[in-house]
Every structure is written in structure tokens, then in C-alpha cells.
Coordinates of all heavy atoms in Angstrom, one line a residue:
S12 N 63.6 62.7 45.7 CA 62.9 63.7 45.0 C 61.7 63.0 44.2 O 61.7 61.8 44.1 CB 63.9 64.3 43.9 OG 64.4 63.3 43.0
R13 N 60.8 64.0 43.9 CA 59.5 63.4 43.2 C 59.2 64.3 42.1 O 59.3 65.6 42.2 CB 58.5 63.4 44.2 CG 57.1 62.8 43.8 CD 56.1 62.8 44.8 NE 54.9 62.1 44.5 CZ 53.9 61.9 45.3 NH1 53.8 62.5 46.5 NH2 52.8 61.2 44.9
D14 N 58.9 63.7 40.9 CA 58.5 64.5 39.8 C 57.1 65.2 40.0 O 56.3 64.8 40.8 CB 58.6 63.8 38.5 CG 57.4 62.8 38.3 OD1 56.7 62.5 39.3 OD2 57.2 62.3 37.2
S15 N 56.8 66.3 39.2 CA 55.6 67.0 39.4 C 54.3 66.3 39.2 O 53.3 66.6 39.7 CB 55.7 68.3 38.6 OG 55.9 68.1 37.2
A16 N 54.5 65.3 38.3 CA 53.4 64.4 37.9 C 53.1 63.4 39.0 O 52.1 62.7 38.9 CB 53.5 63.8 36.6
K17 N 54.0 63.3 39.9 CA 53.8 62.4 41.1 C 53.8 60.9 40.6 O 53.3 60.1 41.3 CB 52.6 62.7 41.8 CG 52.6 64.1 42.5 CD 51.4 64.3 43.3 CE 51.4 65.6 44.1 NZ 50.3 65.9 44.9
R18 N 54.5 60.7 39.5 CA 54.5 59.3 39.0 C 55.8 58.6 39.2 O 55.9 57.4 39.0 CB 54.0 59.2 37.6 CG 52.6 59.6 37.4 CD 52.0 59.3 36.1 NE 50.6 59.7 36.0 CZ 49.6 59.0 36.3 NH1 49.9 57.8 36.9 NH2 48.4 59.4 36.2
T19 N 56.9 59.4 39.5 CA 58.2 58.8 39.7 C 58.9 59.5 40.9 O 58.9 60.7 41.0 CB 59.1 59.0 38.5 OG1 58.4 58.5 37.3 CG2 60.4 58.4 38.6
I20 N 59.5 58.7 41.7 CA 60.4 59.3 42.8 C 61.8 58.7 42.5 O 61.9 57.5 41.9 CB 59.9 58.9 44.2 CG1 60.0 57.4 44.5 CG2 58.6 59.6 44.4 CD1 59.8 57.1 46.0
S21 N 62.9 59.4 43.0 CA 64.1 59.0 42.8 C 64.9 59.1 44.1 O 64.4 59.9 45.0 CB 64.9 59.9 41.8 OG 64.2 59.8 40.5
L22 N 65.8 58.3 44.3 CA 66.7 58.3 45.5 C 68.1 58.4 45.0 O 68.7 57.4 44.4 CB 66.5 57.0 46.3 CG 67.3 57.1 47.6 CD1 66.8 58.2 48.6 CD2 67.3 55.7 48.4
R23 N 68.7 59.6 45.2 CA 70.1 59.7 44.8 C 71.0 59.4 46.0 O 70.8 60.1 47.0 CB 70.4 61.2 44.3 CG 71.9 61.4 44.0 CD 72.3 60.7 42.8 NE 73.7 61.0 42.4 CZ 74.3 60.4 41.4 NH1 73.8 59.4 40.7 NH2 75.6 60.7 41.1
M24 N 71.8 58.4 45.8 CA 72.7 58.0 47.0 C 74.2 58.3 46.7 O 74.7 57.8 45.7 CB 72.5 56.4 47.1 CG 71.1 56.0 47.3 SD 70.8 54.3 47.6 CE 71.3 53.6 46.0
N25 N 74.8 59.1 47.5 CA 76.2 59.5 47.4 C 77.0 58.9 48.5 O 76.4 58.6 49.6 CB 76.3 61.1 47.3 CG 75.5 61.6 46.2 OD1 75.5 61.2 45.0 ND2 74.7 62.6 46.5
S26 N 78.2 58.9 48.3 CA 79.2 58.5 49.3 C 78.8 57.2 50.0 O 78.7 57.0 51.2 CB 79.3 59.6 50.4 OG 79.8 60.8 49.9
L27 N 78.5 56.2 49.1 CA 78.0 55.0 49.6 C 79.0 54.2 50.4 O 80.2 54.2 50.1 CB 77.6 54.1 48.3 CG 76.2 54.6 47.7 CD1 76.0 54.0 46.3 CD2 75.1 54.1 48.7
K28 N 78.4 53.5 51.4 CA 79.2 52.7 52.3 C 78.8 51.2 52.2 O 77.7 50.9 51.8 CB 79.0 53.1 53.7 CG 79.2 54.7 54.0 CD 78.9 55.0 55.4 CE 79.1 56.5 55.5 NZ 78.7 57.0 56.9
S29 N 79.6 50.4 52.7 CA 79.3 48.9 52.6 C 78.0 48.7 53.5 O 77.2 47.8 53.0 CB 80.4 48.1 53.1 OG 80.7 48.5 54.5
E30 N 77.8 49.4 54.4 CA 76.6 49.2 55.2 C 75.3 49.7 54.6 O 74.2 49.5 55.1 CB 76.7 49.9 56.7 CG 77.1 51.2 56.6 CD 78.6 51.5 56.8 OE1 79.4 50.8 56.2 OE2 79.0 52.4 57.6
D31 N 75.4 50.3 53.4 CA 74.2 50.7 52.6 C 73.8 49.5 51.8 O 72.7 49.6 51.1 CB 74.6 51.8 51.8 CG 74.8 53.1 52.5 OD1 74.1 53.4 53.5 OD2 75.7 53.8 52.1
T32 N 74.6 48.4 51.8 CA 74.1 47.2 51.0 C 72.8 46.6 51.5 O 72.7 46.4 52.7 CB 75.2 46.1 51.1 OG1 76.4 46.6 50.5 CG2 74.8 44.9 50.3
A33 N 71.9 46.5 50.6 CA 70.6 46.0 51.1 C 69.6 45.9 49.8 O 70.0 46.4 48.7 CB 69.9 47.1 52.0
I34 N 68.5 45.4 50.0 CA 67.4 45.4 49.1 C 66.6 46.7 49.5 O 66.1 46.9 50.5 CB 66.5 44.2 49.1 CG1 67.3 42.9 48.8 CG2 65.3 44.4 48.1 CD1 66.5 41.6 49.0
Y35 N 66.5 47.5 48.4 CA 65.7 48.8 48.6 C 64.3 48.6 48.0 O 64.1 48.2 46.9 CB 66.5 49.9 47.9 CG 67.7 50.4 48.7 CD1 68.9 49.5 48.8 CD2 67.7 51.5 49.4 CE1 69.9 49.9 49.5 CE2 68.8 52.0 50.1 CZ 69.9 51.2 50.2 OH 70.9 51.5 50.9
Y36 N 63.3 48.9 48.8 CA 61.9 48.9 48.5 C 61.2 50.2 48.3 O 61.4 51.0 49.2 CB 61.2 48.0 49.5 CG 61.6 46.6 49.6 CD1 62.6 46.2 50.5 CD2 61.0 45.6 48.8 CE1 63.0 44.9 50.6 CE2 61.3 44.3 48.9 CZ 62.4 43.9 49.9 OH 62.8 42.6 50.0
C37 N 60.6 50.4 47.3 CA 59.7 51.6 47.2 C 58.4 51.4 48.0 O 57.9 50.3 48.0 CB 59.4 51.9 45.7 SG 58.5 53.4 45.4
Y38 N 58.0 52.4 48.7 CA 56.8 52.4 49.6 C 55.9 53.5 49.3 O 56.4 54.6 49.0 CB 57.3 52.4 51.0 CG 56.3 52.8 52.1 CD1 55.5 51.8 52.6 CD2 56.2 54.1 52.4 CE1 54.6 52.3 53.6 CE2 55.3 54.6 53.3 CZ 54.5 53.6 53.9 OH 53.6 54.0 54.9
A39 N 54.6 53.3 49.4 CA 53.7 54.4 49.3 C 52.5 54.1 50.3 O 52.2 52.9 50.5 CB 53.1 54.5 47.9
N40 N 51.9 55.2 50.7 CA 50.7 55.0 51.7 C 49.7 56.1 51.2 O 50.0 57.2 51.0 CB 51.3 55.3 53.1 CG 50.2 54.9 54.1 OD1 49.1 55.4 54.1 ND2 50.6 54.1 55.1
D41 N 48.4 55.6 51.1 CA 47.4 56.4 50.7 C 46.5 56.8 51.9 O 45.3 57.3 51.7 CB 46.5 55.8 49.6 CG 45.9 54.5 50.0 OD1 46.0 54.1 51.2 OD2 45.3 53.9 49.1
G42 N 46.9 56.5 53.1 CA 46.1 56.8 54.3 C 45.3 55.7 54.8 O 44.7 55.6 55.9
M43 N 45.2 54.7 53.9 CA 44.4 53.4 54.3 C 45.2 52.2 54.3 O 45.0 51.3 55.1 CB 43.2 53.3 53.3 CG 42.2 54.4 53.4 SD 40.8 54.1 52.4 CE 41.5 54.3 50.7
R44 N 46.2 52.2 53.4 CA 47.1 51.0 53.3 C 48.4 51.4 52.8 O 48.6 52.4 52.2 CB 46.5 49.9 52.4 CG 46.1 50.2 51.1 CD 46.0 49.0 50.2 NE 47.3 48.3 50.0 CZ 47.5 47.2 49.2 NH1 46.4 46.7 48.6 NH2 48.6 46.7 49.0
A45 N 49.4 50.4 52.9 CA 50.7 50.6 52.4 C 50.9 49.8 51.2 O 50.3 48.7 51.0 CB 51.7 50.1 53.4
Y46 N 51.7 50.2 50.3 CA 51.9 49.6 49.0 C 53.5 49.4 49.0 O 54.3 50.4 49.3 CB 51.5 50.4 47.8 CG 50.0 50.6 47.8 CD1 49.4 51.8 48.4 CD2 49.1 49.7 47.1 CE1 48.1 52.0 48.4 CE2 47.8 50.0 47.2 CZ 47.3 51.1 47.8 OH 45.9 51.3 47.8
W47 N 53.9 48.3 48.4 CA 55.4 48.0 48.2 C 55.8 47.6 46.8 O 55.0 46.9 46.2 CB 55.8 46.9 49.3 CG 55.6 47.2 50.7 CD1 54.5 46.9 51.4 CD2 56.5 47.9 51.5 NE1 54.7 47.5 52.7 CE2 55.9 48.0 52.7 CE3 57.8 48.4 51.3 CZ2 56.6 48.7 53.8 CZ3 58.4 49.0 52.4 CH2 57.9 49.2 53.7
G48 N 56.9 48.0 46.5 CA 57.5 47.4 45.2 C 58.1 46.1 45.5 O 58.2 45.6 46.6
Q49 N 58.7 45.5 44.4 CA 59.3 44.2 44.5 C 60.8 44.3 45.0 O 61.3 43.2 45.5 CB 59.3 43.5 43.2 CG 60.4 43.9 42.2 CD 60.3 45.2 41.6 OE1 59.3 45.9 41.8 NE2 61.3 45.7 40.9
G50 N 61.4 45.4 45.1 CA 62.7 45.6 45.6 C 63.8 45.6 44.6 O 63.6 44.9 43.5
T51 N 64.8 46.2 44.9 CA 66.0 46.3 44.0 C 67.3 46.2 44.8 O 67.4 46.9 45.8 CB 66.0 47.5 43.1 OG1 67.0 47.4 42.1 CG2 66.2 48.8 43.8
Q52 N 68.2 45.3 44.4 CA 69.4 45.1 45.2 C 70.5 46.1 44.9 O 70.8 46.4 43.8 CB 69.9 43.7 44.8 CG 71.3 43.3 45.5 CD 71.0 43.1 47.0 OE1 70.2 42.3 47.4 NE2 72.0 43.7 47.8

């Protein structure tokens, strides 16, 4: 989901499995390049 101001997105993860274990990275693209966050475990 994304807030109306477009400044925050959320990922609600339910029924988590062991195979969901990973570093999760936020990603954005403005049509010219990709941007990445630092990741969260």
C-alpha cells in the first residue's frame, strides 16, 4: 500500500513462511533510473 502523499509505502506480510526469510529492499523507479534502500532483515 502507498499513502496519498506518496511518501511512504508499506508491505503487510501475513502467514509468513521460513522461505520468506530474506533482506527486503525498497525500490523505486522514475523512468530514468532505479533507487534502492539499504535493506531490512
